[in-house]
């Protein structure tokens, strides 16, 4: 069984010139990327008003998923950490704008300018610590926080992910919820080990709380029934609101330093032979605030 690319090497090293050209020239990979991109665009649920949207393709690689966005008459910006992949995208003359960067360090885009975001098989790379300075939780936090800022109110982000285990899935989902997103996991073909695909569907802004999440597809290509959704634990959608009420901290009135404590301490000091001021009616009295 082949090892997962995330385990072999960091993305900027794994996808070198040779691997980038091999990846892009594979007709099987091109077809898979097109299918996943179409599904991600469907889950974005963009308004059908005939106006092209500005979308963000995170981990765009050589621009295979970006071509789907172009075919649907949308403008897009592609971000990837592999210079070799972006070079292949330039040779292919993709129509999107390309950025070389690490999504784990934040996106660095202007607030509220992106109408939607997609990512195909990229976000799970943030769960690995490729350098001694890498902390997966902090990198996921930087990514989702910066993504939330650059999206317009009510915009969606759809990420097709391959989490290695349940811990990675929870790590990614919790980071998104803490950043303020609402949403959850949509599973296509939940009962198939080969065709199973997981999509993290997120919505930002005040309008995100009342937005329903699409259901996954079954083997016939139709939406899963309610029974399938209940039987499939990964089908559950977690809803979160950015403006959560803060927990009130309980005041600790039992500080132990009242009048009785002061008198007891003064008596101990006297028994030790220390000079202690005499007790008066002002001993242990709380001072009034001067301002």
């Amino acid at each position: 069984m082949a090892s997962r690319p995330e385990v072999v090497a960091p993305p900027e090293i794994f996808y070198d010139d040779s691997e980038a050209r091999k990846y892009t020239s594979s007709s099987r990979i091109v077809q898979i990327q097109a299918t996943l991109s179409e599904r991600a665009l469907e889950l974005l649920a963009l308004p059908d008003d005939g106006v092209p949207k500005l979308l963000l393709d995170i981990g765009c690689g050589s621009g295979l998923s970006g071509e789907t966005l172009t075919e649907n008459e949308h403008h897009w910006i592609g971000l990837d950490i592999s210079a070799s992949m972006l070079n292949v995208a330039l040779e292919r003359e993709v129509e999107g704008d390309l950025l070389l960067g690490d999504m784990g360090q934040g996106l660095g885009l202007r607030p509220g300018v992106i109408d939607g975001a997609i990512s195909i098989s990229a976000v799970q790379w943030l769960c690995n610590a490729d350098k001694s300075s890498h902390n997966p939780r902090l990198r996921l936090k930087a990514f989702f926080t910066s993504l939330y800022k650059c999206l317009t109110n009510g915009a969606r982000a759809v990420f097709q992910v391959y989490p290695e285990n349940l811990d990675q899935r929870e790590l990614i989902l919790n980071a998104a919820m803490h950043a303020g997103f609402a949403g959850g996991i949509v599973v296509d073909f939940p009962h198939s080990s080969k065709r199973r695909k997981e999509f993290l569907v997120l919505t930002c802004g005040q309008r995100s709380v009342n937005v329903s999440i699409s259901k996954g597809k079954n083997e016939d290509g139709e939406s899963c029934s309610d029974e399938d959704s209940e039987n499939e634990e990964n089908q559950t959608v977690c809803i979160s609101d950015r403006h959560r009420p803060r927990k009130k901290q309980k005041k600790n009135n039992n500080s132990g330093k009242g009048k009785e404590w002061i008198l007891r301490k003064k008596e101990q000091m006297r028994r030790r032979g220390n000079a202690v001021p005499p007790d008066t009616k002002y001993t242990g009295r709380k001072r009034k605030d001067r301002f």
Side-chain angles (χ1 to χ4, degrees), residues 13-174:
I13 297 177
F14 181 84
Y15 290 107
D16 54 11
D17 291 342
S18 174
E19 189 66 27
R21 298 185 185 281
K22 177 182 176 182
Y23 186 92
T24 309
S25 60
S26 172
S27 58
R28 174 177 171 272
I29 291 179
V30 171
Q31 179 60 37
I32 292 175
Q33 283 279 343
T35 302
L36 294 177
S37 301
E38 285 285 354
R39 177 58 172 153
L41 194 59
E42 177 185 349
L43 292 173
L44 271 183
L46 296 171
D48 188 14
D49 53 8
V51 179
K53 306 301 180 183
L54 178 60
L55 305 179
L56 180 63
D57 185 3
I58 302 166
C60 64
S62 55
L64 296 179
S65 52
E67 289 183 343
T68 301
L69 304 180
T70 300
E71 291 172 359
N72 286 270
E73 300 181 350
H74 296 298
H75 307 295
W76 58 279
I77 299 173
L79 173 73
D80 203 279
I81 196 174
S82 171
S84 299
M85 278 289 201
L86 294 179
N87 288 334
V88 175
L90 289 174
E91 293 176 3
R92 299 176 64 246
E93 298 182 350
V94 297
E95 296 190 17
D97 296 324
L98 304 177
L99 299 175
L100 177 64
D102 180 7
M103 59 180 170
Q105 296 181 354
L107 302 178
L109 299 175
R110 292 178 58 185
V113 297
I114 303 298
D115 299 312
I118 68 168
S119 178
I120 307 299
S121 309
V123 176
Q124 71 270 4
W125 286 85
L126 293 177
C127 296
N128 297 322
D130 298 319
K131 299 178 181 179
S132 59
S133 59
H134 283 182
N135 184 319
R137 292 183 183 277
L138 295 180
R139 287 170 60 77
L140 284 167
K141 178 182 178 181
F143 167 65
F144 282 113
T145 302
S146 60
L147 176 64
Y148 191 97
K149 291 180 180 179
C150 72
L151 291 174
T152 59
N153 184 28
R156 279 191 178 186
V158 178
F159 305 136
Q160 187 272 321
V161 293
Y162 286 113
E164 187 175 6
N165 47 48
L166 290 176
D167 292 337
Q168 281 196 1
R169 183 187 304 159
E170 289 297 323
L171 182 64
I172 295 173
L173 186 58
N174 288 338

Side-chain angles (χ1 to χ4, degrees), residues 176-244:
M177 296 302 153
H178 282 298
F181 285 100
I185 302 290
V186 174
V187 181
D188 285 353
F189 315 111
H191 305 296
S192 174
S193 58
K194 291 185 178 180
R195 301 184 63 188
R196 177 189 175 98
K197 296 292 183 295
E198 295 187 13
F199 294 86
L200 177 60
V201 182
L202 304 172
T203 312
C204 77
Q206 290 290 341
R207 290 180 289 178
S208 63
V209 179
N210 297 324
V211 174
S212 60
I213 303 299
S214 304
K215 293 183 179 181
K217 293 184 177 180
N218 56 23
E219 299 298 326
D220 299 328
E222 299 177 354
S223 297
C224 292
S225 63
D226 293 336
E227 294 181 358
D228 291 337
S229 298
E230 292 176 359
N231 295 333
E232 176 59 40
E233 62 178 0
N234 300 324
Q235 193 74 18
T236 303
V237 175
C238 301
I239 301 297
S240 174
D241 181 14
R242 181 176 179 84
H243 302 280
R244 296 183 292 272

